[in-house]
Amino acid sequence: MTNRILPLLAMFMSFSYATTVLAQDADSLEIANRGTLTISGSGDIYYRYDMIGKTKGNNYTSFTNSHNAFELGMASAKLEYNYRGLGICADLGFGKRAMEFSYNDVPMVAAIKQLYMFYQPKDFIKITAGSWGTHVGYELLDPHLNANYSMSYMFTNGPFFHTGLKFEFFKGPHTFMVGVANPTDFKYSTGALDNKVGLAQYSVVVNPHLSIYLNYVGGQALDTTLSNQIDLVLSSAVTDEISLGFNGTVNLVSDLPLKRASVTRNVWHGQAIYFKYMPKPWAGLAVRLEHFGDPDQLKVLSSAIAGGSVFEATLSANFKVYGLTVIPEFRFDGSNQKIFTDKDGAGTNFNASFVVAAIYNFSVQPKLR
């Protein structure tokens, strides 16, 4: 017994000494650096009721594929550290929302929403490497950053994130970004990631009430298609209480090689208007009106008889208290194709649903000694 205890005791003492030394070194490094650390997190739960078909199959957008059930959304934890322009962001998410966002990844990898390092040697340039949320579109993954809880068709069918390298250049109110990344929504190699996509964005703050973003992502996918998406976002703070937004996008999909005599060219596109009215800091209304065109049956209407379009109107209330936001929401979806079903299972051109969601988020900046 003594022969077993003595080695364990020696190992414990060695580990304790090493831990003390490492802690002292880390403490010294922290004191010397005194960078900026931001810790944030969020969590959301929701209940959805399908009013027409009484089925979750009537949902064609991300994260709310359920009916008459309480659902967990996503628990997020985010760490950002910056010291003299050099930093890292580790953003983790757990739950069905995170898994759908990282749909190409295995469960453990899917927990990594974002992981990137950045370096800003001068005020006019910033370099980022890793995986980050896309610059395309108006809506964001984290639910507390959107006024509507359910997602748009454009968000669902556009890129979610990019993994690669990007450069941002700043000049007064102007920002220009260029980058190169793996095929859209891939963090790791699948054996065919020699293909790359190009990224670009130009943004300008016209005045305190208007910002414009022109976005691009394009390149060869893992198959034999070439995709080029151009996206426009307008954001306007009309008053302290009223804000407006617009998102328009078009994606051109072509066969490869492009020099072939007969090339199939297809397209999908969308437009959405966002309106938000916050008469009180704790209460407000948000409206989203969206049209999504899928004439070549690439996305929503891929299983329909023919191509066409989808329309949705979403009305959401926002009630806030400290870090908690409660969103009751009514949504109407319609299409020129019978892609929805009624309670008897027959095809129908429209659907209506109700969602109530609770979201809690926080952000702190602890002082480094």
Side-chain angles (χ1 to χ4, degrees), residues 185-224:
D185 299 343
F186 278 92
K187 295 190 184 81
Y188 292 91
S189 172
T190 63
L193 285 183
D194 54 332
N195 301 334
K196 295 293 182 288
V197 299
L199 312 174
Q201 181 186 63
Y202 168 72
S203 65
V204 58
V205 180
V206 179
N207 55 52
H209 302 287
L210 177 62
S211 297
I212 302 174
Y213 305 84
L214 182 60
N215 310 307
Y216 168 81
V217 56
Q220 184 177 345
L222 293 183
D223 54 20
T224 58

Side-chain angles (χ1 to χ4, degrees), residues 24-56:
Q24 291 174 347
D25 290 343
D27 188 55
S28 300
L29 181 62
E30 182 182 284
I31 293 173
N33 284 350
R34 296 194 179 201
T36 302
L37 174 65
T38 303
I39 304 173
S40 59
S42 66
D44 63 288
I45 59 175
Y46 77 93
Y47 171 86
R48 179 178 182 270
Y49 189 85
D50 184 275
M51 304 170 78
I52 304 298
K54 317 297 187 203
T55 173
K56 67 179 183 179

Side-chain angles (χ1 to χ4, degrees), residues 25-190:
D25 290 343
D27 188 55
S28 300
L29 181 62
E30 182 182 284
I31 293 173
N33 284 350
R34 296 194 179 201
T36 302
L37 174 65
T38 303
I39 304 173
S40 59
S42 66
D44 63 288
I45 59 175
Y46 77 93
Y47 171 86
R48 179 178 182 270
Y49 189 85
D50 184 275
M51 304 170 78
I52 304 298
K54 317 297 187 203
T55 173
K56 67 179 183 179
N58 274 340
N59 180 69
Y60 290 93
T61 57
S62 299
F63 311 144
T64 50
N65 190 32
S66 63
H67 164 63
N68 196 22
F70 295 97
E71 298 276 338
L72 300 180
M74 177 175 66
S76 292
K78 185 177 182 180
L79 298 175
E80 297 175 274
Y81 181 75
N82 186 350
Y83 174 65
R84 293 187 176 180
L86 181 63
I88 186 171
C89 173
D91 187 5
L92 305 180
F94 304 89
K96 190 169 78 170
R97 192 180 185 103
M99 292 180 65
E100 289 186 27
F101 179 74
S102 299
Y103 60 94
N104 285 320
D105 299 325
V106 296
M108 286 303 296
V109 176
I112 303 175
K113 292 158 52 186
Q114 300 184 104
L115 178 58
Y116 60 84
M117 292 174 283
F118 59 88
Y119 180 48
Q120 189 166 1
K122 300 291 182 180
D123 291 340
F124 63 86
I125 184 172
K126 183 179 180 181
I127 306 167
T128 302
S131 185
W132 60 87
T134 185
H135 56 292
V136 174
Y138 186 89
E139 299 174 22
L140 301 170
L141 166 66
D142 295 304
H144 65 277
L145 300 177
N146 302 315
N148 304 110
Y149 185 76
S150 66
M151 308 305 292
S152 67
Y153 289 98
M154 283 187 289
F155 175 92
T156 301
N157 293 285
F160 284 172
F161 61 84
H162 308 286
T163 303
L165 178 68
K166 65 177 179 178
F167 299 83
E168 294 173 272
F169 304 92
F170 310 97
K171 179 65 175 178
H174 306 275
T175 301
F176 183 69
M177 181 273 288
V178 292
V180 60
N182 292 340
T184 297
D185 299 343
F186 278 92
K187 295 190 184 81
Y188 292 91
S189 172
T190 63

